[in-house]
Amino acid sequence: MDELEIDAVAEVELDDPVLVEGLPGVGHVGSLAVEHLLEELEGDSTLVRRVYSQEFPPQVSVEDGVAELTCAEIHAVSVPDGRDLLLLTGDHQAQTNDGHYVLTDAFLDIAEEFGAEEVYALGGVPTGELIDEYAVVGAVSDESLLEALEDAGVEFREDEPAGGIVGVSGLLLGLGQRRSFDAACLMGETSGYLVDPKSARAVLEVLEETLGFDLEYESLDERADEMEEVIGKIQEMEQQQQQQQMPTDDDLRYIG
């Protein structure tokens, strides 16, 4: 196998498409968001490309006993009354710095092939603590893109995210700008500790308003409820540990 191989699975005609990336990252926000898009728009989607690379981990996925080499996939989606989409998803990112560049260039090549000139990278930005209100933090490849996203509720904060944006999401902005793409990264705030469906929904709601389509969120909300139960149990355990560590009256007698 070559370092990079792209399988052309199908060819479709798209109307002013937008590339939307959702590979694994903090809180799995981006991957959850794109998986939900595929689930909701399944009837209008077509798998068009598979991208194989030696930069992915050396493993296969197994479903019903059948193995398939790790890859990234791009689905074309015709959206009624909205912009058509190219949805990029997969189970892994590259394992090396060079690999991130190689794969990002390949994804942008495919976007160009289908006539896309606009890119949205979806991901999470960690807060380090559990949160109730989910803001969406943004970054763009050009100042001209700020206003429309601000109108959609995206926050642009000085020096955030700290340390910049790494991986494919960051390179889609950097390399995209050099290749004349209009590129934006939408990052939902998330604790960073757990898979975060609520953060994914916050990002999707911005994307809905920006690109002009409508989604249902029942399945994503169900996953959020499941995570709330997990969070509740974690908080209970933390409280129990704190109580066990508190000094008793007997302990206090010996404190001078």
Side-chain angles (χ1 to χ4, degrees):
M1 177 177 146
D2 294 334
E3 180 184 9
L4 180 76
E5 292 184 2
I6 300 174
D7 285 0
V9 181
E11 302 296 338
V12 296
E13 292 291 330
L14 297 175
D15 181 21
D16 193 19
V18 180
L19 176 65
V20 180
E21 173 264 326
L23 294 173
V26 178
H28 284 268
V29 175
S31 54
L32 274 177
V34 170
E35 285 169 10
H36 188 70
L37 280 169
L38 281 170
E39 180 183 311
E40 288 296 308
L41 304 172
E42 182 179 9
D44 301 302
S45 69
T46 303
L47 175 63
V48 292
R49 295 290 185 273
R50 284 195 180 97
V51 179
Y52 297 92
S53 174
Q54 294 178 9
E55 292 295 336
F56 288 134
Q59 67 185 74
V60 296
S61 60
V62 181
E63 185 172 347
D64 296 329
V66 179
E68 183 175 329
L69 185 63
T70 292
C71 67
E73 294 183 340
I74 295 181
H75 295 253
V77 181
S78 297
V79 180
D81 304 320
R83 301 272 301 277
D84 287 346
L85 306 174
L86 287 167
L87 300 180
L88 166 59
T89 187
D91 294 328
H92 302 280
Q93 294 214 31
Q95 299 183 98
T96 68
N97 292 338
D98 288 347
H100 285 298
Y101 279 88
V102 169
L103 284 168
T104 303
D105 264 327
F107 299 146
L108 291 172
D109 287 344
I110 294 169
E112 281 186 343
E113 196 179 335
F114 284 94
E117 299 178 350
E118 196 169 339
V119 176
Y120 286 88
L122 310 184
V125 58
T127 63
E129 59 185 10
L130 298 175
I131 54 178
D132 295 319
E133 299 294 328
Y134 288 80
V136 176
V137 180
V140 294
S141 61
D142 190 87
E143 188 176 353
S144 64
L145 304 174
L146 290 172
E147 184 176 354
L149 289 174
E150 285 175 331
D151 290 344
V154 179
E155 298 181 11
F156 294 91
R157 302 171 181 172
E158 186 175 358
D159 299 326
E160 280 199 41
I165 306 169
V166 299
V168 170
S169 291
L171 289 179
L172 284 172
L173 270 68
L175 295 179
Q177 190 272 340
R178 293 180 64 84
R179 294 176 58 164
S180 300
F181 282 87
D182 288 335
C185 186
L186 305 178
M187 296 163 282
E189 286 190 322
T190 178
S191 68
Y193 302 140
L194 301 165
V195 175
D196 200 334
K198 286 188 174 181
S199 184
R201 174 167 180 164
V203 168
L204 284 172
E205 286 174 345
V206 169
L207 203 64
E208 271 187 289
E209 183 170 345
T210 304
L211 299 181
F213 56 81
D214 295 311
L215 294 174
E216 298 292 334
Y217 289 101
E218 183 178 354
S219 63
L220 202 58
D221 289 343
E222 288 176 357
R223 295 188 70 171
D225 290 341
E226 292 171 1
M227 293 310 302
E228 285 293 322
E229 291 182 14
V230 173
I231 291 170
K233 291 178 181 178
I234 291 173
Q235 290 173 329
E236 284 180 15
M237 291 173 60
E238 289 176 345
Q239 290 173 355
Q240 290 172 359
Q241 289 174 349
Q242 290 172 355
Q243 290 171 355
Q244 290 170 359
Q245 292 169 0
M246 290 177 64
T248 65
D249 290 340
D250 289 339
D251 294 330
L252 291 173
R253 294 176 191 168
Y254 299 98
I255 297 177

